[in-house]
Amino acid sequence: MSLRVDTENLPVLKNDLIIRAARGEETERAPVWVMRQAGRYLPEFLEVRKHHSFFECCKTPEIACELTLQPIRRFKGLLDAAIIFCDILVVPEAMGMTIEMNPAPSLPNPIRTPEDLERLPERIDVNKKLGYVFEAVNLTRHKLNGEVPLIGFCGAPWTLMAYMVEGGGSKTYQKAKEWLYRWPEASRTLLTRVADVCVDLLVGQVLAGAQVSCRISFCDGQAKLKKSLKKQLLQVFDSWASELPPALYQEMALPPCQYIAKQVRAKLQALGHPGVPMTLFAKGANASLDVLASEAGYDVLGLDSSITPAQARKLVGHKVALQGNADPMLLYGGQDAIKAEVKKMCDGFLAGGGGWIANLGHGVTPQVQVDDFRCFLESVHKYSRRNPEKAEVQVSNEKL
Ligand SMILES: Cc1c2[nH]c(c1CCC(=O)O)Cc1[nH]c(c(CCC(=O)O)c1C)Cc1[nH]c(c(CCC(=O)O)c1C)Cc1[nH]c(c(C)c1CCC(=O)O)C2
């Protein structure tokens, strides 16, 4: 099967701030993007959603591309990365599960017992099942015109397993945790099966956005890459990491994330690709941050708002870059509070040194006002300069 993917003549990247920060560089200003930046707080997103179902948006490359570009267009010059419009639940869907969005995700036929694992395929043809993601990534790379890098993503196996077993979101994660305690081996089987799809999904996204003179054949899975530049990032979302006690998180949820990082790097290397920076957002897994920094195999660790920049940097040292971590609810606090809190966040991360990517501690929520979101981005631009004296001189010169 051939995909609509054109990796020739991709535009040259004009803003590599986030790639440099992800590699641990102390950048002149913090790069900024926001989790769920393409979403329901944007009137133009809601307009598109009036006419198309959620999965129709994900599965139609032209629509997914348009939704990815909406925040980049509206906040021109303020966002330093785009994230491809998709959802973490496309993986269980590709594995044959039914997902309904009404409006929260619901899986009417959850995996209830280890016997149900038989319903899940051991392997899937990722080009066939998830080729629409690769087409959307490729189209978006062309349409972005090199303005900012594109982030590809997937959900982490534990978070996906929780949805697959619970049949949706949950307050207690009783069923998913029951699996981990009662059926650890079957849980590992499920986690690994999900992780294998995640690996192929991430690799496919990188290849679909690969640089100019790359020659990729999606038909036979063979890729001959002559040359490639590092222009993309990948993020693994483990939104429910904090639901597990640290020892259980490290025993069950972390290994599949390590496996994903290792496999993605190995597969890209085997194809002659130089690799891309990878971020692990293990939300709230603060008690494991030191372990994540030394053992997870990611370049960047995402933080939620339950830890200070200083505490996080102390735990991870300079082994990784950090991403985060303003409280998403700050965006409801008015612009004076937004400016003051962003300044504190910037001061905290800059004092700790190392690479830092500004973000919220979790996704932006639907009722946020667009102007308040803009204020958040502008405040990061203003307060995250490494050389404020110089910036002030420049401003005063401009005034003269
Ligand atoms: C847990 C999770 C999901 N999806 C995702 C996560 C991990 C991040 C997190 O914890 O927030 C990840 C996600 N979902 C979506 C993106 C797109 C890119 C982006 O802008 O970040 C990304 C990166 C679009 C979406 N995914 C969804 C929407 C809204 C659907 C709609 O338009 O009705 C969007 C824009 C639906 C979705 N999908 C999911 C939920 C819980 C919901 C419903 C509630 C909500 O919006 O948060 C599962």
Side-chain angles (χ1 to χ4, degrees):
M1 192 195 68
S2 80
L3 295 175
R4 287 184 296 151
V5 166
D6 166 18
T7 53
E8 304 283 325
N9 309 314
L10 281 165
V12 175
L13 186 66
K14 297 170 198 156
N15 172 350
D16 68 347
L17 211 51
I18 195 169
I19 310 265
R20 288 192 279 124
R23 297 280 184 205
E25 193 180 305
E26 296 186 357
T27 47
E28 55 275 27
R29 159 178 77 71
V32 59
W33 71 282
V34 174
M35 290 183 279
R36 316 297 288 272
Q37 67 191 23
R40 287 185 289 189
Y41 72 105
L42 280 180
E44 54 271 41
F45 171 84
L46 294 174
E47 188 53 40
V48 173
R49 280 283 282 113
K50 272 190 204 158
H51 310 286
H52 306 279
S53 74
F54 178 70
F55 280 108
E56 203 182 326
C57 293
C58 294
K59 291 183 176 189
T60 314
E62 289 73 18
I63 301 178
C65 170
E66 164 60 20
L67 295 175
T68 304
L69 295 177
Q70 282 180 347
I72 304 300
R73 226 182 268 136
R74 185 184 268 266
F75 305 109
K76 194 164 171 45
L78 288 174
L79 283 165
D80 296 296
I83 179 161
I84 191 67
F85 187 86
C86 194
D87 197 80
I88 62 168
L89 297 170
V90 297
V91 164
E93 206 253 359
M95 296 174 86
M97 297 191 73
T98 303
I99 323 270
E100 290 158 6
M101 285 285 178
N102 41 17
S106 152
L107 293 77
N109 298 306
I111 307 287
R112 279 284 141 83
T113 64
E115 287 76 59
D116 289 342
L117 284 177
E118 280 164 30
R119 282 173 23 212
L120 294 180
E122 270 179 42
R123 282 268 160 192
I124 64 161
D125 178 343
V126 81
N127 287 340
K128 201 164 142 200
K129 298 278 185 190
L130 291 164
Y132 61 84
V133 183
F134 309 147
E135 292 186 348
V137 164
N138 187 255
L139 182 62
T140 307
R141 275 293 306 274
H142 282 280
K143 288 270 165 78
L144 265 173
N145 201 23
E147 294 300 329
V148 290
L150 180 60
I151 301 173
F153 72 90
C154 71
W158 154 244
T159 292
L160 293 175
M161 170 183 167
Y163 275 105
M164 292 161 83
V165 168
E166 298 283 345
S170 168
K171 281 213 161 69
T172 59
Y173 296 88
Q174 181 194 316
K175 298 186 190 75
K177 287 186 177 188
E178 181 185 347
W179 263 72
L180 298 183
Y181 288 117
R182 191 183 291 276
W183 301 306
E185 271 321 304
S187 296
R188 284 194 189 95
T189 304
L190 174 51
L191 290 164
T192 308
R193 228 171 259 187
V194 172
D196 278 324
V197 181
C198 292
V199 168
D200 290 347
L201 175 58
L202 292 179
V203 169
Q205 290 179 76
V206 174
L207 297 184
Q211 178 44 25
V212 197
S213 45
C214 297
R215 236 168 261 288
I216 296 165
S217 156
F218 272 89
C219 315
D220 54 9
Q222 297 249 325
K224 295 185 196 92
L225 306 179
K226 284 186 193 158
K227 182 184 154 205
S228 180
L229 294 177
K230 303 159 187 173
K231 294 193 168 181
Q232 277 182 298
L233 291 90
L234 294 174
Q235 175 155 325
V236 176
F237 285 91
D238 214 348
S239 302
W240 312 137
S242 64
E243 298 302 324
L244 301 176
L248 189 61
Y249 168 76
Q250 288 171 34
E251 189 192 336
M252 300 301 289
L254 176 56
C257 291
Q258 288 169 308
Y259 174 83
I260 289 174
K262 236 179 159 170
Q263 287 288 314
V264 168
R265 293 188 201 286
K267 287 199 174 191
L268 289 176
Q269 201 181 15
L271 296 168
H273 192 288
V276 296
M278 295 182 71
T279 300
L280 177 60
F281 177 55
K283 185 180 177 299
N286 299 331
S288 302
L289 267 185
D290 51 345
V291 176
L292 292 181
S294 37
E295 293 176 23
Y298 289 76
D299 306 276
V300 185
L301 295 180
L303 305 171
D304 76 353
S305 319
S306 64
I307 189 164
T308 66
Q311 285 170 329
R313 187 48 85 187
K314 198 167 164 215
L315 284 167
V316 304
H318 283 92
K319 295 190 193 97
V320 290
L322 293 171
Q323 175 174 279
N325 73 339
D327 181 359
M329 295 305 128
L330 167 64
L331 300 189
Y332 295 100
Q335 299 198 358
D336 288 345
I338 293 173
K339 287 174 195 165
E341 292 299 318
V342 169
K343 183 169 186 320
K344 275 190 228 161
M345 170 176 76
C346 292
D347 290 347
F349 279 107
L350 295 190
W356 170 49
I357 299 163
N359 205 313
L360 296 178
H362 203 184
V364 55
T365 52
Q367 274 78 44
V368 164
Q369 297 297 308
V370 170
D371 284 346
D372 294 335
F373 187 89
R374 180 186 298 279
C375 175
F376 173 78
L377 301 179
E378 284 173 347
S379 302
V380 173
H381 279 244
K382 182 167 176 193
Y383 296 121
S384 71
R385 297 193 171 273
R386 294 258 177 203
N387 221 334
E389 296 83 23
K390 230 174 160 182
E392 264 170 35
V393 172
Q394 279 168 3
V395 172
S396 52
N397 279 347
E398 266 172 28
K399 278 183 191 155
L400 293 172

